[in-house]
Amino acid sequence: GLGDVYKRQPLSPPLLTLHLPRKSGDMEMDVFETELEGMPVYLIDGKEISAAKRIYSFQPDEDMAKFASFSLAALELAKQIGFQPHILNANDWHTALAVYALDHIRGQDSFFADTKSLFTVHNLPYMGAECKEILRDFSMPVHRSRLLPKWGRSFAMPLGLISADHINAVSPTYAREIQTPEFGCSLEDFLFRRADRISGIINGLDYNAWNPATDEKLLKNYDVDTLSDRLQNKIALQKEFDLPISAQVPLFVVISRLDHQKGIDTAIAALRLIKKKKWQAIILGTGAEEIEKECQLLASEMPERVRVAIRFDGALARRMYAGGDAILLPSRYEPCGLTQLIGMRYGCVPAANAVGGFVDTILDDGNSPEQTGFLSPALTHEAFAATLERVLAAYKDQTLWQQIQANGMNKDYSWRQSAREYLNLYLQLSGLPPLTETMPG
C-alpha cells in the first residue's frame, strides 16, 4: 500500500509549498512527490497534520482542522501543478470540505469550472465535527440551505452531501438504507430527495493480499481445489486456544471491533440461546470496555468451548479466517463490510444480519445451489440464534457445507468489478458514454 511506499522511499525535498489564505494567517503546506506502481502520488504535510497524535482520533474535533487543511490543500495542489481534474472523488467526512469548497469556487475560478464532484459515503453516522469557525477562517460561507437540518449546516459530512454532484455509498443496499429513518441519521429526508443522484458500489477486496493459497501466516495453504487441506488450520487453531480437537464440531469465529454497530452483544446472546448445541467459538477484537467484559463473561460461563482474545492481531485474524468454519457478523448496520468477503475467500462461511453490504454479497435464498452464507432476517438475538441453528444443521451435511464454502471461494469480489463501476460513474458525471469493452486484467 501507499504507507509501505512512503516507508520504503526516502522523501526528497518538497516539490513545492502551498500557501492557503486564512484570516488567522496563511497556512503553509509542503507537498512531496513519489509514485505507486508508476502512478504519481502527492503527499501533503503541514502544521495541523504533523502535529496530530494519530491518523484517526476517536474525537472528530481533534481531527477537524487537520482534515480540513488537507482537503483544501488538495484542491490548491491540483491548480499549482496544472492538473485540471474531471472528477473530484472525496470519501467520508474527512475530505467533505474539498467538495464543499469546490462547489463554492468553481463558479468563480475557470480552472475548476468543469470539475464534477462525487462524494462517497462509507459510514453515515460518523459526521465529523462542527466546522463553522474553520469555514469562516478560510473565507468560505456558512451553509444556510433549509434542505439540511439546522445542525447539519455546519457539520462536515452533510456539507459534502449537499455540495456533491453525485453521492455514492459503498453498497447498493446501504445507498437505499440511508434514505430511511432507521439508517439515515436525520438526513433521510434530504437524501430521499436526492435519490436520483445516489448510487452504491461495493468496496473491492485485494485478492493478492488475501489469498489462502499464498498466505504466509497459515500453517497449511489451500485453495478451492484442495479444500480438504483447510482442516489442518482448524486443528492448529483449536490447539493454539486449547480447545477440544474435533473436525465434527463447528468452530465459530468473531473478528471485529467490539462496539455497538457490530452487534457483538447479539452474537453473545445468540450463543447463549444455542448452548445445548455442539459448537466452539473464538472472539478476537478490542473496543468498548463493556462489550469486552461481556465477551470475557461468556468465556467464563463456557470454558470448555469459548475463547476470547482482547487485542488487535492481524496474523491471528488470518489464522482464524483459515481455521474457523463460520464467521459471525451480527452488525446492526454495515455499509459494505470486508470481513464477509475475506471469510468467503478463505472458506469461512459468513453468518450475518441482512443489512447493507451483507445483502449484496452473501447469497442465502433458502435452497439455492449457489448459496454462499447465511442471513438473519431480523436484528434480534432470537433471529440470529435461529440463523446459527441453520448453520449448525448445514454443517452436519458436509457435502452441502463444502459446496457453500466453494461457492464463496469462487466468487469474485476483487476491485476489478468495483473499479469498472467507478469508472462508468466517472464517465457518466463527465457526460461521456459508459465503458462497454472488458477492462484489461
Side-chain angles (χ1 to χ4, degrees):
L2 184 55
D4 295 327
V5 173
Y6 185 90
K7 293 173 186 175
R8 286 199 308 266
Q9 300 180 4
L11 291 177
S12 57
L15 174 70
L16 55 89
T17 298
L18 304 173
H19 298 272
L20 303 182
R22 292 188 307 176
K23 291 179 180 179
S24 60
D26 287 6
M27 176 179 286
E28 291 190 351
M29 307 287 285
D30 289 330
V31 179
F32 300 87
E33 184 178 20
T34 184
E35 68 173 40
L36 179 62
E37 297 179 359
M39 178 180 66
V41 175
Y42 299 94
L43 307 170
I44 297 174
D45 194 11
K47 181 181 177 181
E48 298 285 0
I49 297 172
S50 57
K53 298 176 183 178
R54 54 188 72 86
I55 297 175
Y56 299 108
S57 166
F58 290 110
Q59 302 298 326
D61 287 336
E62 180 182 318
D63 284 345
M64 193 66 244
K66 173 179 64 178
F67 285 114
S69 60
F70 170 80
S71 299
L72 299 177
L75 283 178
E76 181 62 23
L77 170 61
K79 192 171 183 181
Q80 291 296 323
I81 63 175
F83 178 75
Q84 201 164 19
H86 294 91
I87 304 291
L88 169 67
N89 188 176
N91 292 268
D92 258 357
W93 76 261
H94 311 82
T95 51
L97 288 192
V99 178
Y100 187 66
L102 174 66
D103 191 45
H104 173 57
I105 65 175
R106 61 183 169 185
Q108 310 161 23
D109 189 335
S110 60
F111 186 83
F112 291 109
D114 296 323
T115 301
K116 300 296 184 182
S117 59
L118 174 65
F119 188 57
T120 300
V121 178
H122 293 259
N123 207 329
L124 187 64
Y126 292 85
M127 300 275 182
E130 202 276 339
C131 54
K132 188 180 298 183
E133 293 305 315
I134 289 175
L135 294 176
R136 288 173 176 160
D137 198 22
F138 282 100
S139 300
M140 286 191 290
V142 176
H143 201 78
R144 301 191 183 282
S145 172
R146 294 181 179 273
L147 292 173
L148 291 176
K150 189 173 182 180
W151 63 265
R153 299 168 199 169
S154 59
F155 267 71
M157 175 78 86
L159 292 178
L161 290 168
I162 198 166
S163 306
D165 295 306
H166 194 88
I167 299 165
N168 82 292
V170 289
S171 71
T173 296
Y174 193 56
R176 294 188 295 271
E177 287 176 342
I178 61 175
Q179 300 174 50
T180 68
E182 186 176 4
F183 299 97
C185 303
S186 299
L187 296 177
E188 60 272 6
D189 290 342
F190 161 72
L191 292 168
F192 183 74
R193 293 182 184 184
R194 290 283 176 98
D196 60 335
R197 295 193 228 171
I198 299 177
S199 56
I201 300 175
I202 293 168
N203 282 334
L205 181 68
D206 185 338
Y207 270 34
N208 292 320
W210 296 98
N211 186 353
T214 59
D215 194 329
E216 296 179 353
K217 301 300 183 182
L218 308 188
L219 172 69
K220 181 66 176 178
N221 292 113
Y222 60 94
D223 58 23
V224 70
D225 295 320
T226 57
L227 197 49
S228 60
D229 289 343
R230 190 178 184 279
L231 179 59
Q232 295 183 45
N233 294 302
K234 176 178 179 177
I235 292 173
L237 195 60
Q238 289 172 323
K239 288 180 178 178
E240 179 178 352
F241 281 89
D242 193 27
L243 286 167
I245 297 171
S246 172
Q248 289 73 42
V249 175
L251 175 58
F252 296 143
V253 295
V254 175
I255 305 167
S256 178
R257 295 195 319 271
L258 304 181
D259 61 23
H260 180 75
Q261 176 202 340
K262 297 299 182 180
I264 306 304
D265 57 307
T266 296
I268 293 171
L271 290 173
R272 287 191 175 113
L273 289 174
I274 61 167
K275 62 184 179 181
K276 293 183 179 180
K277 305 285 184 178
K278 290 185 177 180
W279 51 266
Q280 299 171 339
I282 302 173
I283 300 172
L284 170 65
T286 62
E289 183 178 355
E290 63 273 16
I291 299 178
E292 291 180 357
K293 288 180 178 179
E294 276 298 310
C295 292
Q296 292 166 330
L297 178 60
L298 181 71
S300 67
E301 291 172 0
M302 305 179 184
E304 76 288 354
R305 57 177 168 180
V306 176
R307 301 289 183 268
V308 175
I310 303 296
R311 64 180 187 267
F312 177 85
D313 190 331
L316 173 57
R318 289 175 177 271
R319 297 195 298 275
M320 289 170 65
Y321 283 121
D325 293 304
I327 186 159
L328 309 191
L329 300 161
S331 298
R332 288 181 166 85
Y333 74 94
E334 192 62 58
C336 178
L338 292 179
T339 304
Q340 81 279 18
L341 304 184
I342 301 171
M344 287 188 284
R345 176 77 163 151
Y346 280 62
C348 189
V349 176
N353 275 330
V355 293
F358 293 156
V359 175
D360 299 313
T361 56
I362 300 171
L363 179 61
D364 177 22
D365 61 358
N367 299 305
S368 171
E370 299 178 358
Q371 181 179 358
T372 61
F374 298 82
L375 291 172
S376 176
L379 305 180
T380 67
H381 303 162
E382 293 80 8
F384 200 73
T387 299
L388 294 186
E389 289 184 330
R390 290 176 53 219
V391 173
L392 296 177
Y395 188 81
K396 290 179 180 179
D397 183 346
Q398 277 296 298
T399 300
L400 170 62
W401 187 260
Q402 290 169 20
Q403 183 60 55
I404 295 172
Q405 287 179 298
N407 289 342
M409 295 179 75
N410 283 326
K411 284 287 186 181
D412 182 2
Y413 289 113
S414 67
W415 269 109
R416 180 188 176 100
Q417 178 61 30
S418 298
R420 180 188 180 91
E421 292 184 45
Y422 269 102
L423 178 55
N424 278 332
L425 185 50
Y426 294 160
L427 292 171
Q428 174 190 325
L429 284 168
S430 301
L432 298 172
L435 189 73
T436 54
E437 70 275 9
T438 303
M439 289 180 68

